[in-house]
Amino acid sequence: MEDHGAKRHPGPWRVMQVDSEFAGILVAVGFLVLGLVSMPVATGFVVGSIALGVVVALLLRFTPKKFSRVVLGTVIILAAVVLWWLGHAPRRPRTVSSNALYVLPNNVPFTFHKTGYWLECWFDQQDNVDRCKLTDEHGAVSFEDVFVQCEGCTPLPQSELAFKWGTGRTWIQSCDKRVNVPIIYLDHDHPLLPRSLHKEAKQWTSCD
């Protein structure tokens, strides 16, 4: 009779035994890929992936084998918590409407925790214009202006002021760099640009 017990699967941990440096490289490459596909916090993911790869490689090199699994699992859990904290949207301030979109500027110097803003737009019936404003995480208004299309000043009705995917990806700054606002993409042909920075904004978007 054939001895089936001799052909038992060795288990995932025995099969997956690899050199510590190679394991660190694999983890680093994995988080690097995550960083490349994560637009708002791509820089944080890339830096985190490199740091995590180095830490994992060192821990696996100097940690006794019987503790390596526990240490590796702990590092992965802690890394996941940190990455979640870096990328999650904060609690919406009471002064911000439920239609507001949380956006992160991508044209500012790197920091481990970027300051994000709540972006909301509405049709101002009194002045017959479209207005948008940026509110910081504490509820203070940092920027507010009339937003217009690339050509013409005809406002859009409230029903068309729905954010499209891509809003918050392109940011523009004033000449003195004191004003930093995103170009707004809606479900119509052309984006909305801040009237006070209309010239600068047209250079960073397609208005054909």
Side-chain angles (χ1 to χ4, degrees), residues 93-96 115-118 120 133-144:
R94 295 181 178 179
T95 56
V96 175
T115 301
Y117 300 93
W118 292 98
E120 56 182 321
K133 69 177 179 180
L134 288 174
T135 305
D136 64 19
E137 298 176 358
H138 303 290
V141 177
S142 60
F143 179 80
E144 182 175 339

Side-chain angles (χ1 to χ4, degrees), residues 3 7 28 35 60 66 80 87 119 124 132 154 174 176-177 194 207:
D3 185 9
K7 295 184 178 180
L60 292 179
K66 62 180 180 179
L119 172 66
D124 188 338
C132 299
T154 303
S174 59
D176 55 8
K177 296 185 178 181
C207 289

Side-chain angles (χ1 to χ4, degrees), residues 9-83:
H9 192 278
W13 289 107
R14 293 185 180 180
V15 173
M16 296 174 61
Q17 284 183 348
V18 294
D19 185 72
S20 59
E21 286 85 353
F22 183 67
I25 293 174
L26 286 179
V27 174
V29 170
F31 280 94
L32 181 61
V33 173
L34 289 177
L36 293 176
V37 299
S38 303
M39 299 302 179
V41 289
T43 305
F45 271 97
V46 171
V47 174
S49 68
I50 297 174
L52 182 62
V54 173
V55 170
V56 169
L58 292 175
L59 287 176
L60 292 179
R61 167 61 70 181
F62 297 105
T63 302
K65 290 185 178 180
K66 62 180 180 179
F67 299 118
S68 60
R69 301 176 188 176
V70 176
V71 171
L72 181 60
T74 303
V75 170
I76 293 176
I77 293 174
L78 290 176
V81 172
V82 171
L83 292 174

Side-chain angles (χ1 to χ4, degrees), residues 84 87-91 102 118:
W84 172 84
H88 84 290
R91 180 177 298 179
Y102 186 72
W118 292 98

